[in-house]
Amino acid sequence: MDCIFCRIAEKKLPARLVYEDEFAVAFEDINPQAPVHVLVIPRKHIPTSLDLKEEDNALVGRLFQVANRIARQKGIAERGFRIVMNCNAEAGQTVFHLHIHLLGGRAMHWPPG
Ligand code: 5GP
Ligand code: ZN
């Protein structure tokens, strides 16, 4: 399977890693949309949020814990930040390996574009 995020998780493709453990990896987005733009992914290949199974419930919780940890480390926790997960084409999903976007360091707008 040719998945760029699997390759990043396996260190076969370079990325600026900010966190990794047995279940999750986080790295800087190559095309940042805010001063802080980190992607948090599971090591497990899950294409979209629609593919999550009951057995992935704890994994999803871990991804949020990792995002929170990075938000605190990067100093955006108190100011505020945004967590985004795009699902399928109309939401703008381009990489079909589940990922949380952690965005912060600037004021965010609502509704999102
Ligand atoms: P999506 O549009 O699927 O929600 O988000 C995919 C994100 O992955 C985009 O923000 C894009 O900039 C980022 N991205 C795509 N390819 C790479 C890559 O090879 N390395 C890194 N670090 N980020 C990538
Ligand atoms: Zn993958």
Side-chain angles (χ1 to χ4, degrees):
M1 182 176 34
D2 196 27
C3 169
I4 53 172
F5 286 1
C6 280
R7 289 174 63 201
I8 286 172
E10 292 163 7
K11 302 221 174 79
K12 290 176 180 156
L13 193 69
R16 291 170 58 191
L17 292 197
V18 297
Y19 178 86
E20 65 177 321
D21 65 25
E22 194 183 342
F23 302 100
V25 178
F27 51 94
E28 308 278 356
D29 195 292
I30 205 167
N31 182 23
Q33 301 302 310
V36 175
H37 189 172
V38 172
L39 301 174
V40 183
I41 69 169
R43 287 193 186 274
K44 179 180 176 185
H45 181 84
I46 300 169
T48 79
S49 55
L50 290 169
D51 300 302
L52 287 165
K53 306 279 191 283
E54 194 86 21
E55 71 205 34
D56 299 316
N57 287 356
L59 180 60
V60 173
R62 292 186 74 105
L63 298 179
F64 273 85
Q65 294 298 337
V66 171
N68 286 345
R69 178 186 178 126
I70 296 166
R72 291 193 183 98
Q73 267 172 8
K74 298 255 185 196
I76 58 170
E78 299 308 320
R79 292 171 60 186
F81 58 90
R82 186 167 291 173
I83 277 175
V84 172
M85 187 179 288
N86 297 321
C87 182
N88 280 339
E90 208 159 296
Q93 186 176 5
T94 58
V95 177
F96 287 81
H97 180 126
L98 188 90
H99 50 282
I100 285 179
H101 293 260
L102 171 66
L103 295 148
R106 66 167 170 83
M108 299 286 160
H109 305 288
W110 196 263

